């Protein structure tokens, strides 16, 4: 990493927010991944604007990270800069039936505040471990709910470093996708529109969803949640199970015995183990059922 880039970052972000050769296994839910050349945690939109403008002008590679719950980083690491939108941009403000949230706010924390304010509609997201920025980009969902059902507007930084507000229709939400996935947009905040409800009922629904997750999902192991998107007309987990892959391992990576839709780090897995297992699962399901599984997991670095 060149000295000019180091000096520029140091002029924008506090020194304690910049790390070099930072192991990405410390920042992903898979608990795997080699070092990022630089790892920067930002505190506000101004810092983000300045960094992104500089990176785009100079051609330096960068990756925007939320809570790292849907990411597989190469064991070789990433030779660019990882910019984390986290605690410094995680404010949550409730105003009547709307919740104003910064991109780094965790869905679990937003759902908790919604419950405290007796607002319903956010229950489905209470157990999703990611941040709202990532959830908006991929239209995260569970138990019949999706972000598109509650998003009123999203503020993004565009490729020119300008702030833009997109309404729900403009977001073009689809199954695990949005307009942001194909554009150089970075989410900075969102407005969620909920409805008044009964606090006890909201709490009960959140507890029910939590109990279902604990009983059906391998939460005791590091993973990225559902590894593959749901193919139209099928369930990825059932296809994998019916392919005889329950418990199948490559190195420390394993198809979960509890829920075949999850690939887990069953012990000292490498990112290469996980990537190889994902490819093997795709090949077996394609061979047996003619269905191509598309990963939900995002890869970063060279595999």
């Amino acid at each position: 990493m060149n000295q000019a880039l180091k000096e520029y970052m140091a002029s924008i972000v506090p020194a304690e927010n910049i790390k070099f050769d930072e192991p990405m296994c410390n920042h992903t839910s898979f608990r795997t991944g080699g070092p990022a050349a630089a790892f920067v945690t930002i505190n506000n939109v101004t810092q983000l604007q300045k960094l992104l403008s500089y990176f785009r002008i100079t051609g330096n590679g960068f990756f925007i990270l939320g809570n790292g719950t849907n990411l597989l980083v190469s064991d070789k690491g990433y030779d660019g800069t990882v910019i984390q939108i986290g605690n410094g941009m995680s404010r949550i403000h409730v105003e009547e039936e709307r919740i104003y949230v910064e991109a780094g706010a965790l869905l679990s924390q937003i759902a908790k505040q919604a419950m405290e304010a007796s607002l319903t509609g956010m229950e489905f997201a209470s157990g999703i471990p990611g941040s709202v920025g990532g959830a908006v980009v991929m239209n995260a969902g569970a138990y019949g709910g999706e972000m598109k059902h509650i998003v009123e507007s999203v503020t993004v930084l565009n490729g020119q470093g300008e702030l833009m507000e997109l309404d729900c229709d403009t977001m073009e939400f689809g199954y695990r996708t949005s307009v942001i996935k194909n554009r150089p947009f970075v989410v900075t905040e969102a407005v969620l529109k909920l409805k008044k409800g009964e606090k006890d009922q909201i709490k009960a629904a959140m507890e029910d969803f939590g109990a279902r997750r604990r009983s059906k999902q391998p939460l005791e192991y590091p993973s990225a949640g559902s590894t593959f998107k749901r193919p139209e007309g099928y369930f990825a987990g059932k296809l994998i199970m019916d392919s005889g892959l329950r418990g199948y391992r490559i190195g420390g990576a394993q198809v979960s015995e509890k829920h075949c839709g999850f690939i887990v780090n069953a012990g000292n897995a490498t990112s290469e183990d996980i990537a190889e297992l994902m490819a093997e699962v795709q090949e077996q399901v394609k061979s047996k059922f003619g269905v191509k599984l598309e990963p939900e997991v995002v890869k970063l670095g060279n595999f």
Side-chain angles (χ1 to χ4, degrees):
M1 178 159 289
N2 66 64
Q3 190 62 29
L5 177 54
K6 290 183 178 181
E7 291 176 0
Y8 184 78
M9 289 193 298
S11 73
I12 301 301
V13 180
E16 62 268 23
N17 287 23
I18 305 173
K19 298 176 180 178
F20 298 104
D21 296 320
E22 174 67 8
M24 287 303 294
C25 58
N26 295 336
H27 302 283
T28 64
S29 58
F30 266 130
R31 298 291 177 257
T32 66
F39 187 93
V40 181
T41 304
I42 61 163
N43 295 324
N44 54 59
V45 173
T46 300
Q47 291 175 358
L48 182 62
Q49 280 177 306
K50 290 179 177 179
L51 288 178
L52 292 185
S53 294
Y54 183 82
F55 286 134
R56 283 168 173 154
I57 289 170
T58 59
N60 288 285
F62 67 90
F63 181 83
I64 302 295
L65 178 73
N67 203 35
T69 55
N70 203 38
L71 182 66
L72 182 65
V73 181
S74 168
D75 298 315
K76 302 167 189 171
Y78 175 61
D79 61 6
T81 299
V82 174
I83 302 174
Q84 184 177 43
I85 300 177
N87 290 336
M89 285 182 61
S90 61
R91 283 173 285 278
I92 303 168
H93 173 66
V94 180
E95 192 172 304
E96 296 183 345
E97 295 183 357
R98 290 178 174 84
I99 304 184
Y100 299 81
V101 293
E102 289 189 305
L106 296 178
L107 293 176
S108 57
Q109 292 300 313
I110 303 169
K112 184 177 179 181
Q113 290 205 29
M115 179 193 71
E116 294 296 339
S118 298
L119 293 176
T120 184
M122 189 80 191
E123 293 90 331
F124 75 91
S126 60
I128 299 175
S131 61
V132 73
V136 165
V137 172
M138 68 173 291
N139 187 26
Y143 300 112
E146 293 179 290
M147 293 304 294
K148 70 178 183 181
H149 298 146
I150 59 174
V151 167
E152 183 171 78
S153 65
V154 178
T155 301
V156 300
L157 275 175
N158 65 20
Q160 287 71 49
E162 302 164 334
L163 287 169
M164 294 174 53
E165 186 175 294
L166 311 176
D167 63 22
C168 188
D169 289 339
T170 307
M171 284 294 296
E172 297 179 12
F173 285 121
Y175 176 63
R176 300 299 176 263
T177 191
S178 71
V179 69
I180 297 174
K181 291 198 85 170
N182 302 312
R183 296 183 184 234
F185 292 168
V186 178
V187 178
T188 61
E189 57 186 274
V191 180
L192 309 179
K193 179 68 165 64
L194 305 180
K195 296 178 181 178
K196 280 292 182 184
E198 296 295 329
K199 185 175 179 180
D200 289 346
Q201 293 179 10
I202 296 166
K203 184 178 181 182
M206 288 168 61
E207 289 175 348
D208 175 51
F209 291 153
R212 287 200 235 174
R213 280 191 172 90
R214 289 189 294 273
S215 67
K216 296 180 180 179
Q217 298 180 9
L219 303 181
E220 65 273 25
Y221 291 106
S223 79
S226 296
T227 308
F228 300 99
K229 296 179 182 179
R230 185 180 68 243
E232 190 171 349
Y234 299 91
F235 292 99
K238 188 172 191 313
L239 288 170
I240 296 167
M241 180 180 68
D242 291 347
S243 297
L245 294 171
R246 183 190 293 276
Y248 186 83
R249 290 182 69 135
I250 292 180
Q254 182 181 41
V255 174
S256 169
E257 295 181 339
K258 194 172 188 179
H259 189 315
C260 292
F262 286 62
I263 287 177
V264 300
N265 181 348
N268 299 315
T270 64
S271 291
E272 192 61 37
D273 290 341
I274 295 167
E276 286 186 22
L277 183 54
M278 287 173 62
E280 180 67 18
V281 167
Q282 288 174 298
E283 184 178 327
Q284 293 289 336
V285 170
K286 177 73 172 175
S287 173
K288 288 183 168 61
F289 299 102
V291 178
K292 182 180 180 181
L293 293 180
E294 184 179 347
E296 275 196 26
V297 175
V298 175
K299 291 181 179 178
L300 179 65
N302 295 319
F303 283 85

